[in-house]
Amino acid sequence: MSKDTILTNGRVYDPMHGIEGEVMDICMSDGKIVEKVNGSAKKIDLKRRLVMAGGVDMHSHIVGSKVGFGRAMCPEDHRKDPVPKTKYTRGGVGYTMPNSYVIGYRYSAMGYTTVIEPALPALKGLGSWEEMEDLPNLNSGLLPLFCNSMITFDYVKRRDLSGLAAFIAWTLRSVGGLGVKVVNPGGTYAWAHGVDLRDPNGEVPGWGITPKEIMHYLCEATEALGLPHVMHYHPNNLGRVGNVETTIEQLDSIRDIKGYHGRKHICHLTHMSFEALSSVEGAGTDWADIESGGLKFAKYMNKNKHFTADMGQITFGPATTMTGDGPFEFYLYQLTHGKWTNINVDVELPGGAGIVPYTYNPKAAGNSVQWTIPLEFALNVDDVWRCIVSTDHPNAGPFTKYPLVFSWLMSKKQRDIWMEDMHKFAHERSILSTIEREWSLNELAISTRAAPAKILGIEKSKGHLGVGADADVAVYDVDVTKVDLAKNPEKIIKTFSTSYLTFLGGKQVSKKGNVKDTGNEGVMTVHPQLNEDLWKRINKELEKKMNAWYSHSFYNYPVPERYRAHLEKKVKIDSTSVAA
Amino acid sequence: MTEEIHEHITCVFCGCLCDDIQLKVQDNKIVDNKNGCAISKAKFLHHTEDRPAAPTIRENGTAKEVTLDAAISKAVDLIANSKRLLVYGLSSTENDAHREAYKIAEAAGGVVDNTSSVCHGPTIMGAQESGEPAAALAEVRHRSDLVIYWGSNPQFAHPRHMNLHTRAAGEYIKDPKKERKIWVVDIRKTISAGIADKYIRISPGSDLEVLSAIRAVLRGKALDIAEVGGVTIKEIADLVERMKSVKYGVLFFGLGLTQSKGRYHNIDAAIRLIQDLNAYTKWSMMPMRGHYNVAGANKTSTWQTGYPYAVDYSRSYPRYQPGEFTAVDLLARGEADVLLNIAADPAAHFPRAALQRMGKIPIINIDPKQNMTSLLATVNIPTAIAGIECDGAAVRMDGLPLYLKKVVEPPENFLPDRDVLRMIYDELRRVMK
């Protein structure tokens, strides 16, 4: 049990409660934010330092099969970034794919307390739970993939929404998932047939269904179950010049779906930087034709309220691309001719995650335009509650570069400095250089705390500092009334790179970058309760399908309790209304 | 008499991790193994054989039975006073034990290596050069219409591999006899080659040349020689045509490729060939992992240290260097001064130079059974067998994690490897404070 603590005189930004820079005290007891603590509580005078809820990263590849493949195949990624053990922490390495301990420590040092792994191949769930045992100082959660499984296709083909919903419910419960991830629906599967299916209206070989239909059904099923987190979507045709059109087309195709209990948003589009590539009017879709689609996509978002998005901001320098979108990685490999890994087993039956190390270069035409896309977007959206900061770690850059991303969002001066030496396309093929807007601290707090917690459906305990929230608190060493951050972008980076204090569940886990390992804070999962008939039906059907299609037993699919019970924070939801 | 039937049990012998084993247990004794291969049957039915009675400490050449606490205390004493601890093995135990081994290596500033350094280590180095288009066993069965085993004899080392995965019918291969071809490339006609559709004999040590020639022909290069490694260029051209024209090819490879002349260069060449073939059609590859959890040792090492094997903690952060921090090399150079061996038998497998060093330094041997290393060890701590006498998790050759169940009680006072290692770690921390 953590000691009661009171943080006094903090300048608080807590957008969920409309608090914008008020000086106030924060009380913590028993891992929660409380109204008040008694006199024996530990008192820390923050002297007007900046206070926010612990950061919430809703899309960062931190555990699992492809992260492991990536780490193992890239010792060169780690060796220049050694992390010695300390009295309180384990040793390890960085850089774009740190070992599990260092991931936890570096998030703590930045004031982040919740991080979601957004692509779990469900049949490898056990491995991810084992790995999370070694992922310290974080609340986390896993999003299993449902997009290229023959079981999904089978239900979609039969127009069996209940069956699909039940398959999702069964999987979330069996492997401990927090939501539904969809990556290039049908496309990765088609690739196992040797077919490059990038058209959302094309046919998935052998099934007579289209990527759009798969997407639509998965979205509907998610809403039917009433999962707290909406469908987490990585579209077809990712990473191709001109794909802003197909991305919008895909989002348009689910507009008719009614949100659970009338909720407005039914889809979260992830790493939009890779799917809002436009091309110069009248030109083709070669890389030379690239233009930013950021503004276009922002305009679409401002008009259409049914989805949210995260940025996937390219940060320049080394990155490691890794995704359940195997064909995209093969395409990237054909461009780079460097290392290429493909992992077929990841989306059983067919499919494949891919991995390609990649260095984003500001002098390269394509990369420089790609860099402008999410910034152009984020600086043109009306509602920051729908726009989340991410680098799709480690795809567009490591999460440790978030402070740099904040500086681009919050400082026109910083953008101008960076664009000075950039490829001319950054100026010619994007309006970014003309944008004056600078994000406020409140907007930053929305985008990095409150909004992701809300979109994930964990806003009761995460993303804010109200009474009853988990005592996840970040204190940054800056008095924002004494410095103009927009004029001092380096100060933005310095401030957010290393928190003054980070509290996790009321425990102090970091002070000025000195981290203490407190073990895994818990893994959030959702357990949809189905009506008995549907539960019986899905067990029977899945046993048959898995035993026919998988290479291991249906009975060895679920992650055993002994790997979960001590970490799992279960939320049961009532999905009994889904008809059998 | 009590009798229980355990179904869907994962076999803990080879990297296939077949999970359809059915065991009959009578009065805490396994009396029947259904579905398992001959090796699996032997492993499960004879698991009580060759078990030491208790931990031992060797003094003046004689091993004396001691309590577990005394053995742990001696082990900790040796580790705490070591200058260059080598922790080795891990591939025949479950994943949780690995975690404790890494903690010990880190606390003592030693080296931790697993048995892949003497088997598929070159495979990993090949992937570090080029990546890895990794295959999956389900896809192999459902889709592959051409399977190549290179330097691998599955009928001998992975007896159910062909039956379950490459000779079996799948979703898109309804008649495997007609629709799927199996080739074996090897230096001798193995039993697997005997039942394959095609056997390609290559000269010993010529793997790299043959792979490179295949790749060159695939890329349209004209070779002005008649043959490579005993294979004619015409034959190579025929192979290439066939490999380009299949729908879904898979290359399985064994120690015949990883540990023969060229080693990781062989694997690198194989990877690049498979990558090149993907410009024409689907191809992937898979190492035939030997010990049931050697793939797991690479996985756990990777997420906990950043590197898959050969990890040194002497500078308080992990460093990786095969050839320098690999067990054989560390011993052969006379560098390691204490060996903590877990679930492996280096005394039976290491080259002479390494064995000579092992004869001179204290060894702590943690293994369920009496093995060659036990005969050298200063401290022997017998443990429960993972997947039979205690539970755990392991990783199949294609990366699939599987749960291992406990089906019988271990001998009295025998703890799982993870518990013994945790006791060593806790005591070590206390002593080193």
Side-chain angles (χ1 to χ4, degrees):
Chain A
M1 199 174 291
S2 57
K3 212 181 151 191
D4 289 3
T5 308
I6 176 165
L7 307 174
T8 61
N9 294 314
R11 190 172 298 280
V12 176
Y13 283 80
D14 185 11
M16 240 187 257
H17 302 289
I19 296 167
E20 198 175 337
E22 264 176 60
V23 175
M24 43 195 290
D25 301 345
I26 303 282
C27 298
M28 299 183 274
S29 177
D30 238 359
K32 296 278 180 193
I33 305 281
V34 293
E35 192 71 53
K36 57 179 187 219
V37 286
N38 61 32
S40 68
K42 184 179 174 189
K43 187 173 165 184
I44 303 172
D45 184 353
L46 297 182
K47 300 182 179 157
R48 317 256 150 149
R49 287 186 177 89
L50 172 65
V51 179
M52 293 182 182
V56 177
D57 190 343
M58 65 181 295
H59 193 105
S60 173
H61 298 282
I62 50 172
V63 293
S65 165
K66 62 190 175 320
V67 182
F69 263 88
R71 286 180 183 125
M73 74 187 248
C74 296
E76 71 278 12
D77 182 76
H78 315 316
R79 67 183 316 143
K80 284 187 203 150
D81 190 7
V83 181
K85 69 174 177 180
T86 70
K87 198 174 167 191
Y88 302 109
T89 55
R90 300 284 305 274
V93 292
Y95 171 71
T96 68
M97 294 168 287
N99 66 333
S100 55
Y101 306 113
V102 171
I103 287 179
Y105 305 154
R106 288 192 169 168
Y107 269 115
S108 284
M110 284 170 40
Y112 273 71
T113 49
T114 300
V115 182
I116 304 301
E117 161 57 51
L120 170 75
L123 84 168
K124 287 185 175 174
L126 171 57
S128 289
W129 281 90
E130 287 181 273
E131 196 169 332
M132 284 188 296
E133 188 76 43
D134 299 303
L135 183 67
N137 295 17
L138 292 177
N139 298 281
S140 53
L142 302 162
L143 304 180
L145 297 149
F146 290 95
C147 34
N148 284 288
S149 150
M150 298 217 319
I151 296 175
T152 297
F153 297 170
D154 198 44
Y155 287 119
V156 172
K157 190 182 170 184
R158 292 164 195 272
R159 311 281 174 225
D160 182 355
L161 187 65
S162 291
L164 183 61
F167 167 48
I168 291 169
W170 186 92
T171 307
L172 292 178
R173 288 167 61 165
S174 299
V175 306
L178 184 65
V180 172
K181 176 71 182 297
V182 177
V183 173
N184 189 3
T188 309
Y189 172 90
W191 195 50
H193 281 265
V195 176
D196 185 17
L197 176 63
R198 289 192 278 123
D199 175 3
N201 300 303
E203 190 187 315
V204 179
W207 289 89
I209 55 175
T210 66
K212 250 193 205 170
E213 286 173 304
I214 301 167
M215 174 201 194
H216 199 277
Y217 266 88
L218 285 167
C219 184
E220 258 183 288
T222 305
E223 296 307 311
L225 289 165
L227 299 182
H229 182 34
V230 295
M231 175 174 73
H232 198 110
Y233 193 62
H234 158 145
N236 295 85
N237 202 25
L238 177 130
R240 307 283 181 149
V241 174
N243 68 2
V244 67
E245 305 294 339
T246 50
T247 300
I248 288 175
E249 184 188 344
Q250 289 168 73
L251 287 168
D252 259 346
S253 73
I254 52 166
R255 281 177 54 184
D256 61 311
I257 296 172
K258 282 209 175 74
Y260 177 72
H261 282 190
R263 70 178 170 193
K264 262 196 292 187
H265 307 144
I266 51 163
C267 175
H268 176 76
L269 183 85
T270 189
H271 42 64
M272 56 74 60
S273 66
F274 295 100
E275 49 250 24
L277 281 63
S278 194
S279 63
V280 178
E281 213 177 322
T285 53
D286 289 337
W287 278 96
D289 303 324
I290 189 174
E291 188 177 73
S292 165
L295 177 63
K296 180 170 189 174
F297 195 66
K299 284 181 176 166
Y300 177 77
M301 185 185 233
N302 292 340
K303 264 196 216 130
N304 296 275
K305 314 284 183 198
H306 65 297
F307 72 101
T308 55
D310 66 83
M311 295 166 68
Q313 176 65 49
I314 284 158
T315 58
F316 293 125
T320 309
T321 66
M322 51 173 66
T323 151
D325 193 340
F328 166 72
E329 292 290 355
F330 182 60
Y331 167 69
L332 193 58
Y333 158 67
Q334 288 173 314
L335 297 178
T336 62
H337 282 287
K339 298 187 199 187
W340 166 56
T341 281
N342 185 60
I343 316 167
N344 282 323
V345 76
D346 268 6
V347 194
E348 194 137 276
L349 174 67
I355 303 167
V356 172
Y358 193 86
T359 300
Y360 295 97
N361 180 358
K363 307 263 190 212
N367 290 167
S368 69
V369 178
Q370 279 183 288
W371 173 79
T372 66
I373 293 172
L375 293 171
E376 196 182 279
F377 166 73
L379 296 168
N380 278 292
V381 295
D382 296 340
D383 182 4
V384 174
W385 286 89
R386 295 169 62 201
C387 174
I388 309 304
V389 172
S390 78
T391 60
D392 187 15
H393 165 86
N395 279 287
F399 64 82
T400 40
K401 291 217 178 161
Y402 282 166
L404 176 63
V405 178
F406 303 164
S407 75
W408 289 328
L409 288 165
M410 295 174 73
S411 165
K412 160 85 169 139
K413 180 182 170 190
Q414 178 78 325
R415 296 196 292 270
D416 288 344
I417 292 169
W418 276 77
M419 288 183 82
E420 244 168 57
D421 293 330
M422 215 173 274
H423 191 278
K424 61 179 184 180
F425 273 19
H427 300 266
E428 294 169 4
R429 304 286 177 88
S430 162
I431 59 146
L432 181 62
S433 60
T434 67
I435 298 174
E436 297 293 328
R437 182 174 168 187
E438 289 168 335
W439 270 19
S440 66
L441 272 172
N442 195 51
E443 285 174 314
L444 187 74
I446 292 170
S447 180
T448 57
R449 273 92 178 146
K454 244 185 156 172
I455 296 167
L456 288 164
I458 55 172
E459 72 273 22
K460 205 175 148 207
S461 56
K462 302 291 176 198
H464 68 102
L465 295 168
V467 170
D470 289 345
D472 300 344
V473 184
V475 180
Y476 295 103
D477 195 7
V478 63
D479 182 342
V480 293
T481 59
K482 294 201 173 137
V483 55
D484 183 348
L485 288 172
K487 296 273 175 314
N488 291 281
E490 285 309 311
K491 178 74 180 169
I492 300 176
I493 295 174
K494 189 165 173 260
T495 299
F496 291 102
S497 293
T498 313
S499 72
Y500 177 70
L501 289 170
T502 305
F503 292 90
L504 175 72
K507 304 177 292 282
Q508 185 180 307
V509 289
S510 183
K511 183 173 186 179
K512 296 181 186 170
N514 293 312
V515 175
K516 189 171 181 185
D517 189 328
T518 59
N520 189 302
E521 186 69 3
V523 181
M524 298 172 282
T525 67
V526 169
H527 287 239
Q529 307 298 304
L530 301 176
N531 66 58
E532 214 170 298
D533 290 344
L534 187 55
W535 186 246
K536 268 190 204 149
R537 177 187 145 201
I538 196 64
N539 272 286
K540 207 170 131 199
E541 289 178 5
L542 288 182
E543 180 168 4
K544 200 168 149 232
K545 286 187 217 282
M546 286 187 181
N547 284 342
W549 288 338
Y550 288 16
S551 59
H552 69 304
S553 164
F554 167 78
Y555 291 96
N556 287 329
Y557 193 100
V559 177
E561 275 299 308
R562 101 136 164 99
Y563 291 90
R564 295 163 58 165
H566 58 297
L567 296 177
E568 190 166 3
K569 291 180 176 170
K570 251 186 228 186
V571 173
K572 283 188 185 176
I573 60 164
D574 182 3
S575 306
T576 50
S577 60
V578 180
Chain B
M1 190 182 77
T2 61
E3 184 174 300
E4 295 165 337
I5 302 289
H6 296 266
E7 290 184 291
H8 320 293
I9 297 297
T10 305
C11 174
V12 282
F13 180 73
C14 81
C16 288
L17 283 184
C18 302
D19 76 331
D20 61 346
I21 309 296
Q22 189 183 323
L23 299 175
K24 189 195 278 184
V25 176
Q26 285 174 352
D27 292 334
N28 202 43
K29 191 172 172 9
I30 301 170
V31 295
D32 189 34
N33 170 336
K34 249 189 213 151
N35 297 336
C37 64
I39 305 174
S40 172
K41 284 189 196 321
K43 171 117 195 186
F44 281 96
L45 295 175
H46 300 294
H47 74 98
T48 56
E49 293 170 14
D50 299 322
R51 305 295 289 273
T56 57
I57 296 177
R58 192 178 307 274
E59 264 168 35
N60 305 320
T62 327
K64 276 198 198 128
E65 286 190 10
V66 295
T67 62
L68 178 61
D69 284 347
I72 299 241
S73 166
K74 178 73 182 173
V76 168
D77 185 42
L78 292 170
I79 293 170
N81 289 299
S82 69
K83 288 199 174 67
R84 196 76 172 128
L85 172 72
L86 168 61
V87 182
Y88 176 74
L90 304 176
S91 54
S92 288
T93 188
E94 56 83 37
N95 290 345
D96 283 346
H98 303 166
R99 178 179 292 114
E100 307 305 323
Y102 307 139
K103 280 157 69 178
I104 292 169
E106 187 186 77
V111 168
V112 59
D113 188 25
N114 53 59
T115 65
S116 61
S117 66
V118 293
C119 62
H120 275 283
T123 301
I124 294 165
M125 291 170 71
Q128 288 167 347
E129 292 291 311
S130 300
E132 184 182 359
L137 288 174
E139 272 201 54
V140 169
R141 175 165 64 88
H142 291 305
R143 295 180 180 276
S144 65
D145 52 351
L146 176 57
V147 167
I148 301 175
Y149 290 98
W150 192 306
S152 159
N153 185 4
Q155 287 299 88
F156 186 76
H158 302 83
R160 296 179 77 205
H161 194 271
M162 290 177 110
N163 260 351
L164 283 182
H165 306 297
T166 62
R167 280 294 189 208
E171 189 65 19
Y172 306 107
I173 303 289
K174 298 291 182 200
D175 182 352
K177 272 201 176 134
K178 274 197 201 141
E179 297 171 53
R180 180 186 294 130
K181 296 289 174 229
I182 297 181
W183 298 355
V184 169
V185 181
D186 215 318
I187 57 167
R188 67 179 77 82
K189 191 160 186 180
T190 61
I191 48 170
S192 306
I195 60 164
D197 298 298
K198 188 184 194 64
Y199 166 53
I200 301 145
R201 181 196 297 272
I202 61 168
S203 332
S206 70
D207 303 70
L208 181 57
E209 285 91 333
V210 176
L211 281 167
S212 305
I214 295 175
R215 197 169 167 225
V217 171
L218 177 68
R219 295 191 147 223
K221 310 268 190 246
L223 300 177
D224 57 353
I225 41 171
E227 61 155 70
V228 175
V231 190
T232 66
I233 295 300
K234 175 161 183 332
E235 219 179 326
I236 285 176
D238 290 346
L239 297 179
V240 166
E241 274 319 301
R242 183 78 197 124
M243 289 165 83
K244 273 163 69 175
S245 63
V246 297
K247 280 194 185 136
Y248 198 103
V250 181
L251 171 69
F252 290 101
F253 57 101
L255 300 196
L257 192 63
T258 66
Q259 294 293 342
S260 63
K261 188 182 158 197
R263 303 184 79 195
Y264 79 92
H265 295 291
N266 299 346
I267 309 303
D268 187 20
I271 293 169
R272 286 298 181 185
L273 170 64
I274 299 299
Q275 288 174 335
D276 286 354
L277 279 163
N278 272 280
Y280 299 92
T281 183
K282 295 292 292 186
W283 269 88
S284 50
M285 60 201 295
M286 193 186 302
M288 297 289 284
R289 304 307 300 261
H291 293 296
Y292 80 85
N293 199 26
V294 63
N298 295 139
K299 282 244 146 88
T300 55
S301 180
T302 299
W303 88 62
Q304 287 165 64
T305 75
Y307 303 111
Y309 66 108
V311 177
D312 172 40
Y313 273 107
S314 63
R315 291 190 187 166
S316 82
Y317 53 82
R319 290 188 300 159
Y320 165 75
Q321 194 61 269
E324 190 173 355
F325 308 135
T326 28
V328 167
D329 305 275
L330 211 67
L331 287 164
R333 283 198 309 272
E335 216 176 288
D337 63 349
V338 172
L339 168 63
L340 170 60
N341 176 59
I342 304 144
D345 195 4
H349 300 115
F350 277 7
R352 182 175 300 176
L355 288 183
Q356 277 170 349
R357 181 65 178 173
M358 283 175 65
K360 290 181 191 148
I361 61 172
I363 297 172
I364 304 147
N365 186 42
I366 297 177
D367 199 278
K369 295 208 176 197
Q370 171 95 14
N371 58 16
M372 292 291 282
T373 307
S374 320
L375 303 175
L376 289 177
T378 307
V379 181
N380 274 297
I381 304 179
T383 48
I385 301 176
I388 300 179
E389 298 164 352
C390 67
D391 76 343
V395 180
R396 202 169 69 177
M397 61 168 67
D398 62 355
L400 183 80
L402 279 163
Y403 182 56
L404 315 175
K405 293 190 189 89
K406 172 181 176 174
V407 288
V408 295
E409 289 299 324
E412 212 180 326
N413 300 326
F414 280 31
L415 300 175
D417 294 316
R418 56 179 176 255
D419 291 346
V420 169
L421 290 166
R422 197 175 296 130
M423 289 163 80
I424 292 176
Y425 174 74
D426 289 344
E427 182 64 9
L428 184 65
R429 286 284 296 236
R430 200 185 62 78
V431 170
M432 290 177 73
K433 246 183 195 168

